[in-house]
Amino acid sequence: MLYAKVVVGLPVEGPFDYIVPADLISRIKIGVRAWVPFRTKSIIGYVVGITSTTKIKNLKKILEVIDEQPVLNKSMLRLSKELAEYYCCSWGEAIETALPEGLRKGKKIVSINVNTHSDKKDNPDVILVQDLDGKERWNIYLREIKDTLNKNKSTIVLLPDLNSVLKAQDKITPSINTPTSILYRKQPKELEEWIKVREGKANIVIGMRSAIFSPVNNLGLVIMDEEQDSVYKQDQVPHYHAREVAFMRTNIEKAKLILGATSCSLESLQLVKANRIKYDFVARNRDFPEIKLVDVKSEQRSRKKRHIILSKYLQGSIYDTLNSSGKVLLFINRRGFATFASCRNCALVLKCPRCNINLVYHFKDNILNCHYCNFKMEAPSICPNCNSNYIRYTGAGIETVESELSRIFPKSRINTIDSKKHLNTKDADIFVATSVITKEEGLNFDLIGIIGIDNSLNRIDFRSSEKTFALLSSLLRLTEKKIIIQSSLPNHICFQALVKKDLSLFYEEELRIRKQLNFPPFKHIILIKLRGRQEEKVKQASQDLFKKLNTVHKLKVFRTVSLNPALPSKLRSKFYWQLLLVSSNVKKACKSLKIYLKDFSHSGIIVTVDVDPL
DNA sequence: AGCACGCCGACT
DNA sequence: GTCGGCGTGCTC
């Protein structure tokens, strides 16, 4: 008798044993998909092992073997297993994150599996390349891609967004003469391209996060551009980070890994410091802009105003720049007009009914919009609570800056850009933009004004400095002349490192603080989120779990740190609580965590685990 | 996750 | 007596 060990794409561990019927024995192979009866339904399972013994009674039979050739080779099976162990999900869930939708849904494919495994003699090599304007970085990428092609090996190039993927393709194709393939989830021809890559018809794959799983033959090189970008982290279960998966995969397949960045992540930098990876810093060959700081607090005092959008100094510089027909960028990382709307009479603050978060007023459409769940309502002119007509809108967004500018500079042409409204003309005097502007190429401003950056710095998030610094660094690319930063914390190391034109000042200080506090990259954080419709139940369940994990933390694979309502604590009508664990060994921590979560069940409560949350 | 099973209240 | 809402537990 022959049995197949099968895993499924559900949050259940497995593997599950099934009888292989006689007529399927010749077709069963490790790595193929099969239809299996599971509880009452038939679902897709992935064969991860074949044995002649089993301890389970009353086995069911495999219904059908789908693939002639395995869709998962040895490397991919190993990678998905490692991913499941690190990110605390089932092996089947990990496999499903690595496969295109068509295959997950059972689509049959006719495809030759070329499967030329790499010779595995090369030592895996990881390099972090940092440069401020990206040009030098790309020269290195192109050289390495050609090198890899010459060795008859494949390359995977990862970019943070679709626009960058298409631009990357334009940079790569002219200098090589081999077909490339674009792979990302929701690509209309995802499966078609996947098959093409697997058959060796494209040796270069360019894509986003999920392209790290591309079925290339003989992987020689992975390039991950803008490696600090948080889009490489999946915000659904399993919460994998493409950089971590790239490390796993290049290690399994003995390929080279290049991490590129404008301002790198502290995770990667720490690996450089620990001599675990190599480092290549490319000095900027363009002029470093002059950085000027304006202390808005002191100006608020002297002008006796509560909020200052454009300081006198910034106004003067804009005036001078416009006078010499220069182009100005005003950067404010907030969409809309006001951060919140409140009633002056009864002090009611208008909040999202589903998320309990302040609604943002959008002047152009006269609506209130929740930036978390996209709830929209018409902006009321009278207070829904006390019927007074004293609704006041405070805080600033790009629309506020725009209206302030048109008041002070009535003759200038102003253009706003945010994630919902892209750059469509370069013909304006003043651009007002959110962080989407940092993705644009070929822009060169004569003056950049940075407004409201304190909001980014004052987040309740230990990474807020790192994120702010990355944002400021990416703005450096957009000018060689002058940047004015308005802040009430002008002495913050984020700004001072830029003023002194020495980025390492920031990194050194931030690493020192992280080490002192036992934060990443020195320790790993594991975030456990609980959600449910009833606030009290979620709270109770979280406290129970916290107590339980507290009593077992003697095992020392993890340490419980905190228990509190998540931020936001209410999202899409569900309440959220979270537990934080700290660990030095993620795999061990997840192994025991899986055991504890298995017999932790509260009705109506969903528990998810996020390893290395961002 | 998703589905059946079982318990309990409401209504023919 | 029987229908259906939801809480609970299991999946080879």
Side-chain angles (χ1 to χ4, degrees):
Chain A
M1 200 60 134
L2 211 56
Y3 307 100
K5 294 200 167 291
V6 174
V7 295
V8 294
L10 297 171
V12 283
E13 269 306 294
F16 299 94
D17 294 356
Y18 285 89
I19 295 165
V20 183
D23 57 319
L24 293 178
I25 285 178
S26 64
R27 295 182 55 212
I28 200 93
K29 288 175 196 143
I30 289 177
V32 297
R33 293 171 298 157
W35 285 104
V36 292
F38 197 74
R39 215 142 185 228
T40 51
K41 289 205 293 191
S42 78
I43 61 169
I44 288 175
Y46 304 90
V47 177
V48 297
I50 297 163
T51 59
S52 53
T53 56
T54 181
K55 288 174 193 158
I56 314 289
K57 292 166 281 185
N58 305 324
L59 288 188
K60 291 181 181 175
K61 285 178 195 161
I62 282 190
L63 303 171
E64 192 194 332
V65 173
I66 301 171
D67 301 304
E68 298 301 322
Q69 294 285 332
V71 289
L72 300 154
N73 62 20
K74 259 190 182 165
S75 305
M76 211 38 86
L77 282 166
R78 222 183 117 185
L79 181 67
S80 52
K81 188 151 189 254
E82 231 174 274
L83 192 146
E85 284 163 3
Y86 191 95
Y87 287 106
C88 212
C89 67
S90 72
W91 193 355
E93 284 178 297
I95 286 172
E96 295 218 326
T97 52
L99 292 180
E101 197 197 9
L103 293 182
R104 295 193 313 263
K105 290 196 168 156
K107 215 167 187 180
K108 280 201 173 196
I109 52 165
V110 220
S111 159
I112 325 123
N113 197 352
V114 179
N115 218 357
T116 50
H117 271 289
S118 66
D119 41 33
K120 304 201 172 170
K121 275 183 206 112
D122 291 354
N123 238 356
D125 199 0
V126 187
I127 307 164
L128 172 64
V129 186
Q130 201 177 352
D131 80 327
L132 276 179
D133 72 15
K135 222 173 185 172
E136 204 41 51
R137 210 155 72 210
W138 267 97
N139 289 337
I140 295 171
Y141 296 168
L142 292 175
R143 200 180 64 217
E144 292 283 347
I145 290 171
K146 278 184 210 159
D147 245 37
T148 309
L149 278 177
N150 287 339
K151 288 184 201 154
N152 253 329
K153 292 185 176 187
S154 307
T155 301
I156 297 173
V157 186
L158 303 179
L159 287 306
D161 56 275
L162 183 54
N163 212 359
S164 310
V165 167
L166 300 175
K167 280 181 192 160
Q169 192 183 33
D170 290 342
K171 285 175 193 157
I172 292 167
T173 40
S175 57
I176 48 147
N177 57 359
T178 177
T180 57
S181 176
I182 303 272
L183 266 182
Y184 57 93
R185 283 286 133 78
K186 290 175 198 153
Q187 206 240 39
K189 294 188 291 178
E190 189 193 22
L191 185 55
E192 221 174 287
E193 285 297 315
W194 191 90
I195 293 168
K196 191 171 112 186
V197 170
R198 183 170 119 117
E199 292 183 338
K201 288 174 185 157
N203 292 323
I204 297 175
V205 176
I206 310 164
M208 282 134 71
R209 188 203 305 137
S210 63
I212 190 58
F213 299 109
S214 308
V216 294
N217 291 295
N218 208 353
L219 181 69
L221 173 67
V222 174
I223 294 171
M224 186 174 183
D225 194 40
E226 300 293 359
E227 61 91 27
Q228 84 299 336
D229 201 310
S230 61
V231 298
Y232 286 120
K233 173 87 175 170
Q234 185 162 68
D235 54 13
Q236 278 151 19
V237 175
H239 294 276
Y240 74 90
H241 196 296
R243 192 204 301 122
E244 197 59 47
V245 181
F247 270 99
M248 292 174 187
R249 183 160 181 188
T250 53
N251 197 36
I252 291 168
E253 302 188 38
K254 304 285 177 245
K256 190 169 183 170
L257 173 60
I258 299 177
L259 304 171
T262 309
S263 81
C264 65
S265 65
L266 288 169
E267 277 72 14
S268 300
L269 191 66
Q270 181 48 32
L271 291 173
V272 172
K273 302 245 169 207
N275 280 323
R276 303 260 304 278
I277 68 176
K278 294 177 192 164
Y279 186 49
D280 189 355
F281 181 80
V282 185
R284 182 181 168 109
N285 48 21
R286 296 163 62 205
D287 284 337
F288 202 102
E290 178 199 354
I291 314 279
K292 198 85 187 156
L293 279 157
V294 174
D295 184 349
V296 284
K297 263 221 171 105
S298 69
E299 187 162 331
Q300 274 164 12
R301 250 175 270 129
S302 63
R303 280 168 69 188
K304 294 200 170 61
K305 280 192 135 190
R306 276 183 62 190
H307 302 285
I308 284 174
I309 295 172
L310 300 174
S311 63
K312 288 286 173 212
Y313 182 78
L314 181 55
Q315 286 182 30
S317 299
I318 295 171
Y319 185 83
D320 293 345
T321 309
L322 294 180
N323 256 355
S324 51
S325 355
K327 279 199 193 306
V328 177
L329 167 67
L330 289 180
F331 176 84
I332 176 159
N333 211 10
R334 176 164 270 141
R335 289 189 290 122
F337 187 84
T339 41
F340 72 103
S342 63
C343 175
R344 267 201 239 198
N345 188 40
C346 72
L348 173 89
V349 175
L350 293 166
K351 285 173 184 266
C352 173
R354 290 186 291 204
C355 308
N356 203 30
I357 267 180
N358 296 346
L359 290 165
V360 176
Y361 179 55
H362 286 248
F363 186 78
K364 285 193 182 100
D365 311 313
N366 193 38
I367 54 154
L368 294 172
N369 179 211
C370 172
H371 285 186
Y372 277 90
C373 75
N374 206 29
F375 167 85
K376 284 176 185 165
M377 68 182 272
E378 202 180 311
S381 50
I382 53 167
C383 174
N385 186 39
C386 71
N387 289 330
S388 80
N389 56 357
Y390 294 121
I391 299 239
R392 178 175 58 180
Y393 298 100
T394 41
I398 58 172
E399 288 184 3
T400 332
V401 175
E402 186 192 11
S403 81
E404 184 85 348
L405 279 170
S406 52
R407 190 175 60 82
I408 305 171
F409 305 100
K411 283 182 213 152
S412 61
R413 294 167 302 163
I414 304 164
N415 194 1
T416 60
I417 302 141
D418 64 28
S419 56
K420 310 269 145 131
K421 180 179 173 290
H422 288 276
L423 183 72
N424 45 29
T425 172
K426 293 187 179 175
D427 194 28
D429 307 311
I430 307 175
F431 293 82
V432 187
T434 64
S435 59
V436 288
I437 193 80
T438 61
K439 303 270 182 192
E440 294 294 333
E441 282 181 32
L443 289 173
N444 205 350
F445 294 100
D446 299 280
L447 173 68
I448 298 179
I450 299 173
I451 299 162
I453 195 75
D454 294 356
N455 286 328
S456 166
L457 216 47
N458 291 334
R459 284 248 147 86
I460 315 164
D461 169 9
F462 73 88
R463 285 183 215 269
S464 63
S465 296
E466 183 188 3
K467 287 174 185 169
T468 307
F469 191 69
L471 196 58
L472 293 170
S473 305
S474 63
L475 286 167
L476 290 175
R477 202 171 53 80
L478 302 179
T479 183
E480 298 176 329
K481 294 191 178 148
K482 188 173 182 177
I483 296 180
I484 298 170
I485 303 171
Q486 292 189 171
S487 170
S488 49
L489 302 152
N491 292 323
H492 197 285
I493 189 70
C494 250
F495 308 131
Q496 290 302 320
L498 295 178
V499 169
K500 290 174 184 142
K501 303 181 199 232
D502 184 358
L503 307 192
S504 66
L505 289 176
F506 170 78
Y507 291 122
E508 297 296 335
E509 174 62 9
E510 189 63 20
L511 280 176
R512 193 187 63 78
I513 296 168
R514 299 281 186 93
K515 186 162 194 172
Q516 196 182 352
L517 297 174
N518 267 332
F519 278 159
F522 299 95
K523 288 274 160 63
H524 293 275
I525 288 180
I526 300 172
L527 179 75
I528 305 175
K529 277 203 177 188
L530 292 90
R531 64 173 199 268
R533 287 188 179 275
Q534 288 160 276
E535 193 169 18
E536 234 357 88
K537 274 196 168 181
V538 179
K539 184 181 170 185
Q540 191 58 50
S542 308
Q543 285 169 343
D544 287 356
L545 184 61
F546 189 71
K547 245 184 233 161
K548 190 173 167 182
L549 294 180
N550 249 335
T551 58
V552 299
H553 89 312
K554 292 168 216 133
L555 294 167
K556 283 183 181 166
V557 285
F558 56 74
R559 191 166 57 80
T560 48
V561 173
S562 65
L563 162 72
N564 40 31
L567 277 174
S569 61
K570 189 186 174 193
L571 182 61
R572 280 179 266 270
S573 306
K574 288 209 173 99
F575 293 93
Y576 284 75
W577 272 68
Q578 63 184 30
L579 280 95
L580 259 168
L581 314 181
V582 163
S583 171
S584 303
N585 187 329
V586 169
K587 277 199 179 176
K588 273 192 187 167
C590 284
K591 202 176 170 187
S592 68
L593 200 55
K594 270 183 185 173
I595 297 164
Y596 295 115
L597 290 179
K598 206 178 169 184
D599 50 53
F600 173 86
S601 82
H602 279 67
S603 76
I605 306 287
I606 296 160
V607 184
T608 56
V609 178
D610 185 352
V611 176
D612 302 332
L614 289 185

